[in-house]
Amino acid sequence: MTAVAPPATPASAPPQDSPRSRRLLLWVALVVLLVVAQSLLVLLTLRYEQARAQERTDDQATAAQGEIRRRAQLVLQGLQGLQTREADAQAWQRHAETLLRSQREIGRIERRDARLRILEAADSPFREPLFQRMSRAEMALEAEVACGIARRLATPAFSRSQFVPLPGGLGAEVVDVCVPVQQAGELVGFHVATLLLSQWLDEVRGSDAGRSHELSFIEGDGTRLARSGAVRGAGVYVAERVVDLPGSPLQLRVDAAERAPSLIPNLATALVMGLSIALFAVVLLLVRDGRRRAAAEEALAESLGFRKAMEDSLLTGLRARDRQGRIVYVNPAFCRMVGFSADELQHATLPPYWPPEHAADYQRRQAERQAAATDEEQPHQGYETVFMRKDGERFPVMIYEAPLVTGTGKQTGWMSAVLDLSSQRRVEDLSRQQQERLQATARLASVGEMASLLSHELNQPLSAIASYATGSLNLVHAPALPGQDPDRPDPDLLPSLQHALERIAEQAERAGRVIKSVHDFVRRRHQAHEVIAADLLIESVLPLVRLQARKSGARVELDIAQPVPRVKVDRTMVEQVLLNLARNGIQAMEADTPLAERVLTLRVRLAPAAAGTPGRWVVFSVVDAGPGIPAEVAQRLFTPFFTTKPEGMGLGLSLCRTVVEQHGGAMDFENLPPRPGDASGRAGGTGFRFTLPQLVGRPPAG
């Protein structure tokens, strides 16, 4: 026997790094770390200061926006409070002056009639009257526009801003707010208040905001209308907010007086922090370098021990062979599998677990693998073969073999994982026998399922055909009306017969579609889907629903969302779902529901959209006014072949849920609250809902 030679020692090894070069590398790393850390710290500090300044500006803008809205609401409440006091002119004047003193941003209040003629007016006591240089009539356009909006919407409305000239060459930017006055539901006049934008900002800003930020109203192009604040904005940290006011919004701008942070105040701190962190890291590296050798040796020993324990505990056999096919390593699981010890396997010329009758084939296959060992790419291989135990028993195994490659990329042999398949083969034989018996049973069950589904689904279209045929015969054999010639047919007979025959043809075609759809449904084929509006699905089943509703004395109501959503469905199967649910709802109201309350509602709605996402589900609901579903029945409601009807088969709701789920939707139900005045505590009806995916996009052309 030939012993396995140990791997040759390389003639020369790369020289190890000297301590001097290692120390030089550490100093270079120290310098690089200092430069990088200092640069990053300076940059991060500057960005942090800028972010904080911008956040302060945004907070000031948000607070100012809220305060402007609040004061606008106070102005509207004050004007609405004047509506009950307009009969007495002096009382109105007193209350108007009180409002002007409490709301300093109001420069003028006017009471106008329905034709916008000024009846009373009051000016602010804190400043000169606004309309001295130009009369109110010359500057009434924006107020009239606002009152026109208020008249049309029956709500307060703000006008666009306008410039009012004042004596001394000055002026003020103002807006008008118009509040309609109604009595007994009719418009009798308006209250118009003129607000000074600059004073409005003065009332809004606080002392801190006035010292650090400039508040201003601007137009869409950035033109300033009015400003407030003791400082001028630097234009670096700016926040803009839109104040939504009825009629005409205002755009608020908050400009901080603070400029971009300078580099000098933050540089020293950044340098100190960067130097400290870098020096601490270098110390850690030096300590780590001193302990690395001992830690590496300890980790290597632990790794070898762990790998040995892991290989010994495996249930999968491991086998390593060299380039000549000789076994160099086996784990205990492989030894237990074949019954030979590791020494016997490693010192054997030919593997003793090869069956003698297959030894020649195995040798040839091993020679082919050795010949292909020079290929650059050695793919992982998995194949099944037969081994022999020490006692001579043959057993099947699955071998997964891959090239054994060293860390330098050199192939030294092959590594194999061996699985014993004897237990799996016994299980597969038993499973095959059971599968054959199950297939025979499944064929019988499929025949019964097909017959039950066809009889259940064809009952409705065939009943409709019979009803229309009976109606046609009744029309044909109906006796002539008094005064009508019996030899001449009724002129309305032919359209009625044509309508009945068209309905018979439609129901016959429907029965054919039901047969095909149920056949595909049982065989789980992909059904033909078409794009259709939700209301067309309702209209298709509505004649049959109303026919059964008339027999039960029930009313059918429709509640369809607008615009009508579209879905892509198997039309026949979804119509069967709607028909089954409507029929169940009508039958549920026949026993205990009073005739006046028998209402069946067919509803189509879009599901509410989730946060941040548009709604994409269409909800179909069938709501009845029956007694509800008891708890013990609700638990088994969708179970196949479960029914509470003497003549039912229990397939309707189970089929409905399966059809909806095949379309990607879901079905559920709920008992409605008791009707007002009902002391019995019973439910006020039942609502069945199912969802279908909404088809979003442009409808197909043609």
Side-chain angles (χ1 to χ4, degrees):
M1 293 183 292
T2 304
V4 179
T9 303
S12 61
Q16 297 182 352
D17 293 338
S18 63
R20 182 177 180 181
S21 61
R22 186 183 304 173
R23 287 194 298 270
L24 179 60
L25 180 61
L26 289 177
W27 282 109
V28 172
L30 174 61
V31 174
V32 172
L33 284 175
L34 286 174
V35 173
V36 173
Q38 292 171 2
S39 301
L40 289 178
L41 284 175
V42 171
L43 179 61
L44 291 176
T45 303
L46 291 176
R47 291 189 176 180
Y48 175 74
E49 294 295 333
Q50 293 173 356
R52 290 191 57 187
Q54 185 61 46
E55 288 177 0
R56 289 192 295 269
T57 304
D58 292 337
D59 293 341
Q60 290 290 344
T62 302
Q65 179 188 29
E67 183 64 18
I68 290 174
R69 290 176 177 172
R70 188 185 71 83
R71 297 197 68 86
Q73 189 64 31
L74 292 177
V75 171
L76 294 178
Q77 292 176 358
L79 294 177
Q80 291 172 349
L82 296 176
Q83 297 181 9
T84 59
R85 309 181 180 95
E86 64 178 1
D88 186 357
Q90 295 181 354
W92 183 92
Q93 192 74 23
R94 289 195 304 272
H95 288 295
E97 291 176 357
T98 302
L99 180 59
L100 288 170
R101 292 180 180 276
S102 61
Q103 303 290 331
R104 295 196 172 205
E105 61 267 31
I106 304 177
R108 178 184 174 90
I109 300 177
E110 300 171 350
R111 182 166 68 93
R112 302 192 177 198
D113 59 11
R115 300 179 62 182
L116 298 179
R117 292 176 298 188
I118 299 176
L119 303 179
E120 300 288 341
D123 291 300
S124 173
F126 302 106
R127 60 186 57 82
E128 297 180 357
L130 290 174
F131 303 102
Q132 293 184 10
R133 190 170 179 182
M134 295 184 68
S135 64
R136 179 57 167 164
E138 295 176 331
M139 305 193 68
L141 178 60
E142 297 296 339
E144 292 174 358
V145 172
C147 290
I149 297 175
R151 183 198 304 271
R152 183 171 65 254
L153 301 180
T155 58
F158 284 78
S159 71
R160 295 176 55 188
S161 63
Q162 58 180 342
F163 182 79
V164 177
L166 297 177
L170 302 177
E173 197 75 20
V174 301
V175 295
D176 292 324
V177 56
C178 184
V179 179
V181 179
Q182 295 184 353
Q183 291 183 358
E186 294 185 2
L187 182 68
V188 298
F190 300 92
H191 283 141
V192 179
T194 302
L195 307 180
L196 292 94
L197 295 184
S198 59
Q199 184 63 35
W200 200 353
L201 291 175
D202 291 339
E203 297 294 329
V204 166
R205 68 175 175 85
S207 59
D208 294 338
R211 289 193 298 265
S212 59
H213 293 80
E214 177 188 15
L215 278 66
S216 59
F217 285 121
I218 62 174
E219 292 185 343
D221 57 356
T223 303
R224 181 187 287 112
L225 299 177
R227 65 168 299 276
S228 176
V231 297
R232 290 285 183 176
V236 178
Y237 305 108
V238 179
E240 294 184 0
R241 297 289 188 274
V242 176
V243 182
D244 293 325
L245 299 176
S248 179
L250 290 175
Q251 189 165 355
L252 173 68
R253 179 176 180 177
V254 178
D255 192 352
E258 187 177 0
R259 299 183 180 275
S262 60
L263 185 62
I264 300 301
N266 300 311
L267 183 57
T269 303
L271 288 176
V272 172
M273 292 180 60
L275 182 60
S276 301
I277 294 175
L279 290 176
F280 181 75
V282 170
V283 171
L284 291 180
L285 288 176
L286 292 175
V287 175
R288 179 186 174 190
D289 183 71
R291 302 176 58 184
R292 173 177 292 180
R293 187 180 302 274
E297 293 176 354
E298 183 180 357
L300 179 59
E302 292 180 355
S303 176
L304 291 176
F306 176 75
R307 188 181 69 176
K308 179 63 176 175
M310 181 178 62
E311 293 174 354
D312 292 346
S313 62
L314 282 176
L315 299 179
T316 302
L318 297 180
R319 178 189 66 181
R321 296 188 295 176
D322 60 12
R323 297 285 297 267
Q324 288 72 36
R326 292 173 299 186
I327 297 176
V328 295
Y329 170 79
V330 289
N331 68 337
F334 188 86
C335 295
R336 291 192 299 268
M337 186 185 304
V338 297
F340 296 95
S341 65
D343 290 339
E344 292 175 331
L345 295 173
Q346 291 177 3
H347 293 87
T349 304
L350 290 178
Y353 49 81
W354 282 1
E357 64 273 15
H358 299 307
D361 293 337
Y362 291 177
Q363 281 184 314
R364 178 179 50 81
R365 184 169 58 188
Q366 182 173 290
E368 293 175 354
R369 186 177 297 107
Q370 292 175 0
T374 57
D375 295 344
E376 295 182 358
E377 295 184 0
Q378 295 286 335
H380 294 63
Q381 298 179 2
Y383 57 91
E384 185 176 345
T385 187
V386 177
F387 280 178
M388 181 183 67
R389 305 188 199 276
K390 193 172 184 179
D391 58 3
E393 178 188 357
R394 274 69 169 170
F395 63 99
V397 294
M398 175 63 73
I399 300 177
Y400 297 95
E401 196 165 50
L404 185 59
V405 182
T406 63
T408 58
K410 180 181 179 181
Q411 180 182 353
T412 60
W414 291 271
M415 189 68 193
S416 305
V418 184
L419 302 178
D420 188 353
L421 301 180
S422 55
S423 299
Q424 181 180 347
R425 289 290 181 267
R426 289 192 294 269
V427 173
E428 289 177 355
D429 292 340
L430 180 61
S431 177
R432 188 180 302 109
Q433 297 173 4
Q434 294 177 349
Q435 186 68 23
E436 291 176 355
R437 291 193 294 267
L438 287 176
Q439 288 178 358
T441 305
R443 284 192 291 270
L444 295 177
S446 298
V447 173
E449 183 182 4
M450 176 69 77
S452 299
L453 289 175
L454 285 176
S455 61
H456 184 271
E457 297 302 326
L458 288 177
N459 182 49
Q460 293 170 344
L462 291 179
S463 298
I465 291 175
S467 299
Y468 283 119
T470 302
S472 300
L473 292 175
N474 292 338
L475 290 175
V476 172
H477 298 292
L481 298 175
Q484 182 180 0
D485 188 0
D487 295 334
R488 298 186 62 185
D490 187 359
D492 297 332
L493 176 61
L494 184 58
S496 299
L497 288 177
Q498 183 178 358
H499 176 73
L501 292 176
E502 290 176 353
R503 290 296 184 180
I504 291 175
E506 290 178 0
Q507 295 303 321
E509 182 182 357
R510 179 184 182 84
R513 292 200 308 268
V514 167
I515 293 175
K516 182 179 182 302
S517 296
V518 173
H519 181 263
D520 292 341
F521 174 73
V522 172
R523 297 188 63 182
R524 299 295 191 269
R525 289 180 179 173
H526 178 71
Q527 300 163 347
H529 289 61
E530 59 178 303
V531 178
I532 187 172
D535 58 344
L536 296 181
L537 293 172
I538 301 294
E539 293 177 0
S540 299
V541 301
L542 197 58
L544 295 177
V545 173
R546 284 179 171 165
L547 178 63
Q548 186 166 358
R550 284 195 295 270
K551 294 179 181 179
S552 302
R555 302 191 312 276
V556 180
E557 295 183 356
L558 302 180
D559 185 6
I560 301 176
Q562 298 295 330
V564 179
R566 297 181 299 119
V567 293
K568 186 175 182 180
V569 296
D570 182 348
R571 178 173 182 174
T572 304
M573 296 307 294
V574 175
E575 289 176 357
Q576 288 299 120
V577 171
L578 290 170
L579 200 57
N580 288 343
L581 296 179
R583 180 194 60 196
N584 291 344
I586 294 174
Q587 292 175 353
M589 296 185 292
E590 291 179 349
D592 300 329
T593 305
L595 190 61
E597 298 178 1
R598 296 181 184 178
V599 179
L600 182 74
T601 304
L602 304 179
R603 182 177 297 121
V604 178
R605 284 286 184 270
L606 283 176
T613 57
R616 65 181 190 92
W617 294 98
V618 181
V619 182
F620 292 79
S621 303
V622 179
V623 183
D624 61 63
I629 299 177
E632 61 275 7
V633 176
Q635 297 177 356
R636 305 179 57 192
L637 193 61
F638 294 100
T639 303
F641 301 104
F642 171 76
T643 181
T644 58
K645 304 174 185 176
E647 72 282 0
M649 292 186 294
L651 291 173
L653 291 178
S654 175
L655 174 64
C656 291
R657 170 175 277 188
T658 304
V659 169
V660 171
E661 290 177 351
Q662 285 186 343
H663 283 79
M667 174 179 286
D668 61 354
F669 72 96
E670 65 173 346
N671 287 328
L672 304 180
R675 288 183 287 271
D678 189 355
S680 63
R682 296 181 304 177
T686 306
F688 278 85
R689 301 184 302 269
F690 65 90
T691 58
L692 295 176
Q694 180 189 9
L695 185 65
V696 181
R698 182 175 298 178

